[in-house]
Amino acid sequence: MKYLSEYRDPVLAQKVIENIKKISHTPVNLMEVCGTHTVAISKNGIRQVMPKTVTLLSGPGCPVCVTANEDIDKAIWLARQSGVILATFGDMMKVPGSYSSLSAEKAEGVDIRVVYSTLDALQIADDNPDKKVIFFGVGFETTSPTIALSILEARKRGLKNYSVLARHKLIPPAMAALLSLGEVKLHGFICPGHVSTIIGSKPYKFIAEEHGIPCVISGFEPLDVLQTIYMLVRQAENGEARVEVQYKRSVRSEGNTTALKILDEVFEVCDADWRGIGIIPNSGFKLKEDYSDFDADKIFDVEVPPPKDDPPGCSCGEILRGVKFPYQCKLFGKACTPERPIGPCMVSSEGACAAYYRYGTG
Ligand code: SF4
């Protein structure tokens, strides 16, 4: 297929669905670990056309949703400090921390700015030499290189008032953590296309080899996802566990070596705190010592009260672990809607609750 319309061709899609039905005999639970896949699956009604043997679960695929309360509390604490401008991506604004949210703070007059790229944040630092500009960096391996690049650029420009509160997370360790928890029986992972464009296919190998779980890296068009499901079902039915790449037009086994080099220059792997899961070893990035002058954690002595749990009744943690479907939260669509969200899974455009609410729960 060469053209976008072909990846959405209903006749071809129907053929793949028939092929899935033909080969699927044993019940399988397949998990997507990318919010963009959650949206693509919901928007295109892919759950509804699956045979009864195939269940699609959403995992910890939304970077905003998996950011821990304590980290949002820290960002808010930093934003409130005198002479500070906090910059972040828009999706982060409404996510509630333990006691407040960035948008509530902004409404109170705290200087918090939404940016579309890290270059915007650098520009703010350039324009405000008397202020300290902190970028609240969340995201998976997809966005981490741009944050790393902003630090290299800040050093190159000699900017002394730019720093990053780095809360970036790595997907493969989270997949392994879910398997180790053993709460849901998984038979395959729909691996994230964008993340894999950066990291390649090799980092999933241990999931297939050590955990015996098939992994297929998928694109985001309806036919991509359907073909991925077909490939996962085929592996499961054959008793195989391999890493396959459906998204070949974008993913190479070695990934994007330029981006990986930049990541390696600026960051080192550390443990990270995931909402709903807790601390996962080696699942985050922190700045290397050589870049500590850009590390908000080192520059500021952050003091926040102990974080609170998710709001009463909110099942975001279970949803992020694939233990519950969004509609199984008793607040879903009643007390919690995208207009009045209670948990991050309804706030973020890539959150599972928002996707199920917007496109249906089937
Ligand atoms: S519906 Fe709302 S309250 Fe329930 S899990 Fe989702 S975000 Fe949390």
Side-chain angles (χ1 to χ4, degrees):
M1 288 183 283
K2 270 200 324 224
Y3 303 107
L4 196 55
S5 58
E6 293 176 302
Y7 289 96
R8 298 174 182 174
D9 183 332
V11 177
L12 282 177
Q14 195 51 46
K15 273 190 192 151
V16 185
I17 295 164
E18 290 310 320
N19 286 339
I20 295 170
K21 288 180 178 166
K22 221 179 274 170
I23 62 162
S24 180
H25 306 295
T26 319
V28 287
N29 293 325
L30 309 179
M31 177 179 271
E32 83 266 4
V33 285
C34 169
T36 315
H37 279 144
T38 305
V39 172
I41 289 167
S42 299
K43 191 175 171 183
N44 294 294
I46 290 178
R47 269 182 222 97
Q48 289 88 333
V49 297
M50 285 296 107
K52 281 197 170 57
T53 42
V54 177
T55 302
L56 300 179
L57 301 171
S58 305
C62 160
V64 169
C65 305
V66 296
T67 302
N69 272 344
E70 188 176 1
D71 291 329
I72 299 169
D73 298 345
K74 282 183 183 168
I76 290 170
W77 185 93
L78 285 167
R80 283 179 184 160
Q81 303 312 298
S82 134
V84 161
I85 300 172
L86 188 97
T88 193
F89 295 135
D91 257 8
M92 209 56 230
M93 293 296 287
K94 279 196 197 159
V95 180
S98 303
Y99 307 95
S100 183
S101 67
L102 292 169
S103 58
E105 295 294 314
K106 188 174 167 69
E108 292 291 317
V110 176
D111 199 346
I112 299 169
R113 311 212 187 158
V114 172
V115 292
Y116 296 99
S117 80
T118 48
L119 290 182
D120 296 342
L122 282 182
Q123 193 57 50
I124 295 170
D126 243 341
D127 295 342
N128 295 274
D130 54 332
K131 298 276 174 99
K132 291 173 181 156
V133 176
I134 305 168
F135 185 80
F136 182 24
V138 301
F140 298 131
E141 294 92 330
T142 331
T143 46
S144 311
T146 65
I147 317 285
L149 207 55
S150 78
I151 292 166
L152 294 177
E153 181 64 21
R155 180 165 279 180
K156 201 165 119 195
R157 290 193 206 172
L159 282 176
K160 300 282 181 218
N161 63 335
Y162 177 75
S163 63
V164 172
L165 182 66
R167 291 298 181 269
H168 309 99
K169 294 186 169 60
L170 310 176
I171 281 285
M175 292 160 69
L178 284 183
L179 294 172
S180 303
L181 282 174
E183 293 177 302
V184 262
K185 179 86 188 122
L186 294 177
H187 305 89
F189 277 116
I190 299 172
C191 298
H194 295 141
V195 162
S196 309
T197 301
I198 303 294
I199 65 174
S201 58
K202 286 182 193 158
Y204 304 101
K205 234 175 146 200
F206 80 103
I207 308 249
E209 289 175 357
E210 292 170 28
H211 296 270
I213 303 291
C215 294
V216 177
I217 297 167
S218 181
F220 299 94
E221 294 301 327
L223 265 158
D224 288 324
V225 179
L226 288 170
Q227 195 182 4
T228 297
I229 294 169
Y230 175 80
M231 292 161 82
L232 284 170
V233 170
R234 187 175 58 189
Q235 283 200 47
E237 289 289 339
N238 292 340
E240 297 168 340
R242 286 179 288 115
V243 180
E244 289 184 282
V245 183
Q246 183 280 331
Y247 197 29
K248 284 197 176 122
R249 61 190 185 278
S250 184
V251 173
R252 286 175 294 163
S253 67
E254 70 278 16
N256 179 331
T257 48
T258 309
L260 289 173
K261 218 168 135 200
I262 292 168
L263 283 176
D264 187 50
E265 167 64 28
V266 175
F267 291 127
E268 64 188 29
V269 171
C270 64
D271 299 347
D273 191 3
W274 295 61
R275 184 188 293 268
I277 305 177
I279 304 284
I280 304 179
N282 301 322
S283 68
F285 275 139
K286 66 176 182 183
L287 273 72
K288 281 184 171 170
E289 197 52 41
D290 191 31
Y291 292 92
S292 57
D293 45 337
F294 297 97
D295 188 346
D297 280 306
K298 300 249 170 78
I299 298 168
F300 301 88
D301 208 2
V302 184
E303 288 170 32
V304 289
K308 280 190 190 165
D309 292 337
D310 283 340
C314 171
S315 305
C316 275
E318 287 150 296
I319 285 156
L320 292 165
R321 301 197 304 276
V323 177
K324 269 189 184 175
F325 291 99
Y327 53 80
Q328 290 172 325
C329 170
K330 59 185 180 209
L331 306 182
F332 178 82
K334 298 179 191 109
C336 183
T337 62
E339 290 72 38
R340 298 173 70 90
I342 288 180
C345 297
M346 191 64 94
V347 173
S348 167
S349 56
E350 295 206 328
C353 295
Y356 273 72
Y357 183 87
R358 205 159 278 136
Y359 301 111
T361 56

